[in-house]
């Protein structure tokens, strides 16, 4: 005889009832809280490059996106250590360690892709006509082929 599946439950309920999941959720919430406290003491530009990895036995381990930001944070270590020690959550903080770990997914560049106007494309085509090197001429013509299609400026 087949057993009847248990009724569907909201994820939040499952996370709170299952002990290993509850412990994992509590750890994630604790790290999120520590991250917010850390960010309150970092310069705005550094916030996206520095994340709390662990906090145990008086040692705060921070993961930093690259060596540049790790160096900048090391220069500010005394100030950061004093500021964090003043907070209750970091009361027994003795040292801060930095680990450089580049993001797994490269950050997308801000802004939009460059758009080649019809005027620029026409200039490239005109330039290509005067070029004797066939490879360079072909490259300019390919580049001109990337112009946006705009019926108001076509001849």
């Amino acid at each position: 005889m087949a057993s009847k599946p248990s009724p569907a439950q909201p994820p939040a309920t499952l996370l709170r009832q299952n002990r290993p999941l509850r412990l994992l959720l509590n750890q994630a919430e604790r790290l999120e809280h520590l991250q917010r406290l850390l960010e309150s003491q970092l310069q705005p530009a550094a916030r996206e490059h520095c994340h709390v990895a662990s906090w145990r036995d008086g040692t705060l381990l921070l993961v930093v996106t690259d060596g540049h930001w790790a160096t900048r944070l090391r220069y500010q270590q005394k100030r950061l250590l004093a500021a964090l020690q003043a907070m209750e959550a970091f009361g027994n903080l003795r040292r801060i360690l930095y680990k450089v770990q580049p993001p797994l997914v490269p950050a997308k560049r801000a802004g939009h892709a460059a758009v080649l106007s019809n005027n620029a494309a026409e200039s490239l085509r005109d330039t290509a006509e005067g070029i004797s090197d066939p490879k360079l001429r072909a490259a300019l013509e390919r580049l001109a082929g990337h112009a946006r299609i705009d019926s108001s400026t076509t001849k």
Side-chain angles (χ1 to χ4, degrees):
M1 192 168 175
S3 64
K4 182 179 177 184
S6 60
Q9 297 179 353
T13 304
L14 288 174
L15 287 172
R16 304 233 184 269
Q17 291 175 351
N18 188 324
R19 187 175 183 339
L21 290 177
R22 187 177 65 241
L23 293 174
L24 186 61
L25 178 65
N26 289 342
Q27 179 68 8
E29 288 172 345
R30 180 174 168 254
L31 287 175
E32 182 181 5
H33 174 69
L34 295 174
Q35 179 69 31
R36 282 193 309 271
L37 293 176
L38 172 69
E39 287 177 356
S40 73
Q41 299 304 313
L42 292 176
Q43 296 172 346
R47 291 176 186 158
E48 68 182 89
H49 301 282
C50 183
H51 303 281
V52 174
S54 70
W55 163 238
R56 82 176 61 96
D57 300 328
T59 301
L60 178 64
L61 176 62
L62 302 178
V63 173
V64 187
T65 58
D66 58 47
H68 165 79
W69 284 104
T71 300
R72 287 183 67 170
L73 289 168
R74 284 185 187 108
Y75 280 126
Q76 300 175 27
Q77 186 162 346
K78 284 185 179 181
R79 180 199 61 81
L80 185 59
L81 186 65
L84 292 175
Q85 285 172 333
M87 297 178 178
E88 184 179 336
F90 291 108
N92 66 338
L93 179 63
R94 291 189 313 270
R95 67 183 182 157
I96 301 173
L97 299 177
Y98 302 95
K99 179 180 179 184
V100 175
Q101 183 176 13
L104 297 175
V105 178
K108 291 186 177 183
R109 292 185 179 191
H112 303 286
V115 177
L116 186 63
S117 70
N118 287 329
N119 290 338
E122 191 60 37
S123 293
L124 286 170
R125 285 188 198 97
D126 291 343
T127 303
E129 287 177 14
I131 301 293
S132 59
D133 181 358
K135 289 183 180 180
L136 180 56
R137 174 183 270 191
L140 289 171
E141 289 171 348
R142 275 194 315 274
L143 185 58
H146 293 289
R148 64 185 157 127
I149 299 171
D150 186 357
S151 59
S152 65
T153 60
T154 56
K155 294 180 180 178

